[in-house]
Amino acid sequence: MNISLLYCFDLFGTAIFAISGVLLAGRLKMDPFGVIVLASVTAIGGGSIRDMMLGATPVFWIVDNNYLWVIFLTCLATLLLVKQPKQLPWYILPVCDAIGLAVFVGIGVEKTMRLQDSMMIAVIMGVLTGCGGGIIRDILAREIPMVLRSEIYAIACIAGGIVHTTSLYFGISSQSSFLLGVVTTLSIRLAAIRWHLSLPTLHLKG
């Protein structure tokens, strides 16, 4: 994929995940510092872990401070536009999260494939990029991470990553493969939100 287009997608995903963090912080009545922290870990947490695991250091937001500016400006804009987050429709937070999730999985797969050629590792890093920040966000908010609950979340990431890497394997262009993966992840996640789809949970007797 064209590097500049990938960069735009990355900044877009950063803003979307930051919004997700701000909305959750607002629901939990956090102060401005808490809002920024929750937005930041949501937006760059997964990518930071990915870069450290791949040895792509310094991590992306240290090399390029635009990510931090996007987070800060997104926090400011969201706080100004959303005065009473509790009155927002229930689906706003999960839909924002789904969009950011799909974009970040694609970013994670694309960046990993540029650094090495293992499809399996690319899928894993895509899932980590998409879910890592949300896991940190939910832990800080004292909630069970969405990826560990019965919701179809990580499965959507895995499916999108597989479609992305498989498309590349069969010679489909990087840009088209990226979009196919993003659409796959987003479609599955939105379907799960719309129809309340979930995975079976483990119940142990004793």
Side-chain angles (χ1 to χ4, degrees):
M1 170 175 283
N2 181 276
I3 298 298
S4 61
L5 182 58
L6 184 64
Y7 182 65
C8 291
F9 271 118
D10 208 357
L11 292 179
F12 172 76
T14 299
I16 291 296
F17 259 32
I19 291 173
S20 173
V22 172
L23 293 179
L24 180 57
R27 181 163 63 83
L28 297 175
K29 299 181 180 179
M30 291 187 173
D31 63 20
F33 180 74
V35 170
I36 293 175
V37 169
L38 214 59
S40 298
V41 298
T42 307
I44 60 178
S48 297
I49 298 172
R50 174 204 65 213
D51 282 2
M52 288 187 287
M53 292 183 71
L54 291 173
T57 54
V59 296
F60 65 99
W61 54 269
I62 293 178
V63 175
D64 185 353
N65 295 159
N66 285 335
Y67 291 95
L68 300 180
W69 281 111
V70 166
I71 292 170
F72 176 76
L73 293 175
T74 300
C75 288
L76 183 60
T78 306
L79 290 173
L80 291 175
L81 295 174
V82 185
K83 297 294 185 180
Q84 296 175 312
K86 283 190 174 182
Q87 295 182 2
L88 289 174
W90 67 269
Y91 55 82
I92 292 296
L93 180 58
V95 168
C96 285
D97 187 83
I99 295 171
L101 179 72
V103 172
F104 271 32
V105 171
I107 292 291
V109 171
E110 191 72 21
K111 184 167 186 176
T112 304
M113 291 299 291
R114 293 206 314 264
L115 296 173
Q116 52 86 64
D117 59 1
S118 170
M119 294 172 61
M120 179 179 293
I121 298 302
V123 172
I124 292 172
M125 289 301 158
V127 174
L128 179 60
T129 306
C131 298
I135 291 175
I136 301 172
R137 174 199 66 201
D138 291 344
I139 291 174
L140 291 177
R142 296 184 179 181
E143 296 186 356
I144 298 176
M146 191 178 297
V147 69
L148 301 180
R149 289 178 278 175
S150 60
E151 292 205 33
I152 297 178
Y153 198 84
I155 294 298
C157 300
I158 294 171
I162 291 175
V163 168
H164 190 157
T165 54
T166 302
S167 299
L168 290 172
Y169 178 80
F170 283 107
I172 297 176
S173 70
S174 179
Q175 182 172 332
S176 297
S177 297
F178 178 90
L179 293 175
L180 284 171
V182 168
V183 169
T184 299
T185 302
L186 183 59
S187 298
I188 294 174
R189 184 67 193 124
L190 290 180
I193 294 170
R194 172 63 179 82
W195 289 290
H196 305 288
L197 305 177
S198 62
L199 298 173
T201 56
L202 178 64
H203 295 281
L204 297 178
K205 296 181 179 179

